[in-house]
Amino acid sequence: KANYNMLRVWGGGTYEADIFYDLCDEAGILLFHDLMFAGGMYPGNASFLRNVEEELTEQITRLRNHPSIAFWNGNNEIQEGWDNWGWKGNMTEEVKSLLYGWFEDLFLELAPS
């Protein structure tokens, strides 16, 4: 009844080729786009965070001007695990702040509202 169509690009999958986004733009199909993080707690070490920063910089910069992307989702079910499955219980406050704050800062830099 809202008169729009939306697809989800799932976080356990892959970033699609440019043609996919071009066709969604042309057809007026909106995308709920996950980043490729799904269902698990990822390491917070410097090497992994550098890898994530490179991935997000490349993908978000490549895709952010597509009008079909209506919504970016940063973590599939990771927020649920963080809040309710005890994942953060094994981490120090410093590590929790690093992981959560680092991701939020990076995302806001690359995909401002």
Side-chain angles (χ1 to χ4, degrees), residues 13-33:
T14 185
Y15 295 99
E16 299 295 334
D18 290 340
I19 188 68
F20 172 78
Y21 301 98
D22 292 340
L23 291 171
C24 287
D25 293 345
E26 290 173 22
I29 297 171
L30 298 173
L31 298 173
F32 178 108
H33 204 301

Side-chain angles (χ1 to χ4, degrees), residues 41 76-89 100:
M41 189 64 215
N76 196 15
E77 289 114 6
I78 295 172
Q79 188 69 47
E80 186 69 25
W82 183 264
D83 290 338
N84 299 310
W85 300 342
W87 291 359
K88 63 184 172 184
Y100 211 86

Side-chain angles (χ1 to χ4, degrees), residues 93-104:
E93 290 301 317
E94 180 181 5
V95 170
K96 286 189 265 190
S97 177
L98 171 70
L99 285 174
Y100 211 86
W102 172 89
F103 179 81
E104 188 173 54

Side-chain angles (χ1 to χ4, degrees), residues 12-110:
T14 185
Y15 295 99
E16 299 295 334
D18 290 340
I19 188 68
F20 172 78
Y21 301 98
D22 292 340
L23 291 171
C24 287
D25 293 345
E26 290 173 22
I29 297 171
L30 298 173
L31 298 173
F32 178 108
H33 204 301
D34 289 353
L35 300 175
M36 297 301 123
F37 304 97
M41 189 64 215
Y42 292 90
N45 59 55
S47 174
F48 183 80
L49 294 179
R50 274 193 307 276
N51 182 284
V52 169
E53 184 170 0
E54 289 174 22
E55 175 184 327
L56 296 184
T57 299
E58 178 182 337
Q59 296 300 334
I60 292 173
T61 301
R62 176 176 77 96
L63 300 172
R64 67 184 172 195
N65 293 319
H66 282 279
S68 57
I69 299 178
F71 184 84
W72 288 102
N73 180 33
N75 62 34
N76 196 15
E77 289 114 6
I78 295 172
Q79 188 69 47
E80 186 69 25
W82 183 264
D83 290 338
N84 299 310
W85 300 342
W87 291 359
K88 63 184 172 184
N90 297 328
M91 297 179 194
T92 66
E93 290 301 317
E94 180 181 5
V95 170
K96 286 189 265 190
S97 177
L98 171 70
L99 285 174
Y100 211 86
W102 172 89
F103 179 81
E104 188 173 54
D105 291 345
L106 176 64
F107 190 76
L108 291 173
E109 174 187 327
L110 294 172

